[in-house]
Amino acid sequence: MAEKDTFSGNNRRMPLFIFFKDVRSVFKLDELGLEIATIALPAALALTADPIASLVDTAFIGQIGPVELAAVGVSIALFNQVSRIAIFPLVSVTTSFVAEEDAITRASADSKDSEMENGTTLDSENKMLIPQKDLDEKMYNLESTNNSFEIAKAEQGKKQIASASSALIIGGILGLIQAVFLILAAKPLLSFMGVKSDSQMSYPAQQYLKLRSLGAPAVLLSLAMQGVFRGFKDTKTPLYATVVGDSANIILDPIFMFVFKLGVRGAAIAHVISQYLIAVILFWRLKEQVDLMPPSLKYLQFGRFLKNGFLLLTRVIAVTFCVTLAASMAARLGSTQMAAFQVCLQVWLATSLLADGLAVAGQAILASAFARKDYGWATATASRVLQLGLVLGLCLAIVLGFGLHFGARIFTKDEDVLRLIGVGIPFVAATQPINALAFVFDGVNFGASDFAYSAYSMVTVAIFSIIVLFILSSSNGFVGIWIALTIYMSLRAFAGFWRIGTGTGPWKFLNS
């Protein structure tokens, strides 16, 4: 642990320095590098598994025809954006809260073991490792640290983390609400997206959306459980569950679509089955580690969850509206433009989500560091994940710039769609470094529990981006939509840069 001390002190000259700190060690597999890698790599693979499964759906459906491809594209965009309204706040808050609770519980356990081993009480300096005030806040006002530790060790060594139980309850309720909402409001929602009732896309789009909505409870529950595992810095278990579920989806797709001749309905049914499989696997593994039965409703502290969740809900609504509006405007241009936009958007999101693996690692490590008030380790972690994010974005830009030109035919053989995909490729490739930094900045700020700034800054970015989107889409069509999305992601990255670079909020210690 002595190595952590090297990250503090003289290296904190000014907040802006954090972006260039120890840049020569960006690929070094030291203690920090190994911790980031063991969290980020499985997380990145798990995060990209679902978009890849959606890409497989897109590839299979593209063999049916461009109308079906466009219809499912609108439905997937709508389902994903509505899901993000609930998923993003739930997962992000859960990850931070579980990481904080776990860090404090471990520190309390270490302190207690040290006292028992030495037969004496820790001196006042060591007691200040975690001040009582912080323990009260982080452990939800439990009577004492010792009581917290005893609760955490209850039921045959299982942990009892308040945030885990809270996340499952909230996730289950939100999943049921989302399913009912999407099924009942499918037609007007698709109409808002530009798919009118007289459109060829209307019937297949409604079929796919209603059937896939049946999997919403499983989606919300599985993502809530992934948030718990991330808080424990365990991203291998979610990866295992996601790979098993999405593999089942890929196998079932052609069976339901072509053998049973269910078309787009078959793709939706296969996806729903895979989501419930993921949820069952995660619940089984989580039940082995965590006692999910809380001592009382007060212990769950829903107020803390809802307060910060509401802030992120505001943020994700702003994000969702921007992307959904872009998809809606593409749909209004016609089925050919929407089909091309769907392919580009899915590739754009799938590859950019690789950076979310770094964001998850940064959030989990930073939440633990801030809970321990280890600001040197927090500084080093933020620097490393941001530098790695930029490198990853540059690599993705090169790969997509060349690879997507040759891989576009996997999704469709329609020449008009392929021509428009070629127009979108430069935007998809060139924005990868910007996207990567934007996602990593999100994880860094969430790890610092800077939820209020994340919400307010995103609303400001969204307002400006929506105005730009209306202007450019009306004047430049398909190209204008992608220019607007590029501006939108650039503003997101700048908002994250500004907070840390100015040393404000939870980062004010960088000015010392």
Side-chain angles (χ1 to χ4, degrees):
M1 298 297 290
E3 183 178 350
K4 293 187 180 183
D5 294 334
T6 63
F7 295 122
S8 59
N10 295 331
N11 285 335
R12 283 192 239 140
R13 298 169 186 169
M14 63 179 64
L16 192 63
F17 183 75
I18 192 174
F19 301 107
F20 310 101
K21 177 178 172 55
D22 298 330
V23 68
R24 294 182 180 179
S25 302
V26 63
F27 298 117
K28 186 177 180 182
L29 288 179
D30 51 11
E31 181 183 358
L32 177 59
L34 287 172
E35 187 172 19
I36 292 173
T38 54
I39 299 173
L41 291 178
L45 293 174
L47 285 164
T48 54
D50 190 61
I52 288 173
S54 293
L55 284 174
V56 173
D57 280 350
T58 303
F60 280 124
I61 294 166
Q63 306 308 310
I64 301 176
V67 172
E68 288 78 6
L69 177 61
V72 172
V74 176
S75 296
I76 289 176
L78 181 59
F79 181 88
N80 287 345
Q81 297 309 318
V82 172
S83 295
R84 280 179 62 85
I85 292 176
I87 288 172
F88 192 80
L90 180 61
V91 176
S92 298
V93 170
T94 300
T95 299
S96 291
F97 287 1
V98 170
E100 290 172 1
E101 289 183 60
D102 193 40
I104 292 173
T105 301
R106 288 175 183 272
S108 300
D110 291 342
S111 298
K112 185 173 181 179
D113 290 343
S114 179
E115 289 182 23
M116 294 177 63
E117 183 177 326
N118 297 330
T120 58
T121 303
L122 293 177
D123 60 28
S124 59
E125 181 181 354
N126 288 330
K127 284 183 179 179
M128 290 304 293
L129 173 65
I130 303 176
Q132 185 60 42
K133 180 181 178 182
D134 293 327
L135 283 170
D136 291 342
E137 292 176 355
K138 301 298 184 182
M139 297 304 292
Y140 308 119
N141 297 314
L142 293 174
E143 290 183 358
S144 68
T145 301
N146 290 336
N147 288 339
S148 301
F149 179 60
E150 288 169 6
I151 289 174
K153 297 292 287 184
E155 195 181 328
Q156 298 178 349
K158 290 184 179 180
K159 298 178 180 179
Q160 188 164 34
I161 303 293
S163 298
S165 302
S166 303
L168 288 181
I169 294 172
I170 295 172
I173 294 172
L174 290 177
L176 290 173
I177 293 174
Q178 180 183 326
V180 173
F181 172 72
L182 285 176
I183 291 171
L184 296 180
K187 187 174 181 179
L189 287 172
L190 287 169
S191 179
F192 170 77
M193 292 289 290
V195 181
K196 303 300 182 182
S197 56
D198 58 349
S199 170
Q200 288 181 302
M201 294 186 285
S202 180
Y203 182 68
Q206 287 188 53
Q207 280 189 317
Y208 186 89
L209 180 60
K210 288 180 179 180
L211 284 172
R212 184 159 174 177
S213 296
L214 295 174
V219 172
L220 269 294
L221 279 171
S222 63
L223 268 295
M225 288 184 281
Q226 285 193 38
V228 177
F229 282 111
R230 290 177 189 177
F232 292 146
K233 301 180 183 178
D234 174 11
T235 51
K236 293 181 181 178
T237 299
L239 172 61
Y240 168 78
T242 304
V243 168
V244 171
D246 286 342
S247 297
N249 180 36
I250 293 171
I251 294 170
L252 293 174
D253 258 341
I255 296 175
F256 283 114
M257 291 175 65
F258 304 120
V259 177
F260 295 157
K261 301 185 185 302
L262 293 175
V264 296
R265 290 177 298 163
I269 293 170
H271 204 91
V272 169
I273 292 173
S274 72
Q275 292 300 324
Y276 278 98
L277 180 58
I278 292 171
V280 169
I281 294 172
L282 286 173
F283 184 79
W284 170 57
R285 295 300 297 271
L286 185 61
K287 193 71 175 66
E288 293 179 338
Q289 300 181 35
V290 179
D291 180 9
L292 297 174
M293 296 298 294
S296 67
L297 290 177
K298 183 179 180 181
Y299 176 76
L300 293 174
Q301 293 288 316
F302 284 121
R304 182 172 182 249
F305 236 95
L306 295 176
K307 175 185 176 182
N308 292 282
F310 180 77
L311 287 170
L312 287 188
L313 176 62
T314 303
R315 182 185 189 281
V316 80
I317 288 175
V319 173
T320 299
F321 194 84
C322 287
V323 178
T324 305
L325 182 62
S328 174
M329 290 181 170
R332 294 173 192 277
L333 295 175
S335 60
T336 300
Q337 288 86 345
M338 182 58 207
F341 182 81
Q342 161 66 7
V343 172
C344 290
L345 183 67
Q346 288 298 317
V347 173
W348 193 60
L349 294 176
T351 53
S352 298
L353 282 174
L354 287 169
D356 249 352
L358 288 171
V360 169
Q363 181 181 0
I365 298 171
L366 282 165
S368 296
F370 273 97
R372 300 190 312 268
K373 296 192 178 298
D374 189 347
Y375 298 129
W377 195 243
T379 302
T381 301
S383 300
R384 189 74 64 89
V385 294
L386 288 169
Q387 292 161 8
L388 287 171
L390 179 60
V391 172
L392 175 62
L394 292 172
C395 292
L396 287 173
I398 296 171
V399 171
L400 290 179
F402 293 99
L404 197 52
H405 281 286
F406 302 101
R409 290 188 177 274
I410 296 175
F411 304 104
T412 182
K413 293 181 174 61
D414 187 284
E415 292 299 327
D416 290 333
V417 176
L418 287 171
R419 179 184 58 79
L420 275 178
I421 291 175
V423 173
I425 289 174
F427 295 100
V428 174
T431 54
Q432 291 305 310
I434 301 170
N435 295 358
L437 282 175
F439 290 141
V440 175
F441 270 123
D442 288 345
V444 168
N445 284 323
F446 295 158
S449 295
D450 198 7
F451 299 122
Y453 175 79
S454 296
Y456 300 142
S457 63
M458 190 63 240
V459 169
T460 304
V461 167
I463 292 172
F464 185 81
S465 300
I466 289 168
I467 295 172
V468 172
L469 187 58
F470 274 113
I471 295 173
L472 293 180
S473 63
S474 62
S475 59
N476 294 282
F478 184 83
V479 173
I481 293 173
W482 279 105
I483 294 174
L485 287 175
T486 302
I487 294 172
Y488 156 69
M489 291 304 300
S490 299
L491 291 174
R492 280 185 63 178
F494 178 77
F497 178 88
W498 178 264
R499 185 61 156 179
I500 301 177
T502 56
T504 53
W507 300 99
K508 60 185 178 182
F509 68 86
L510 293 172
N511 288 309
S512 59

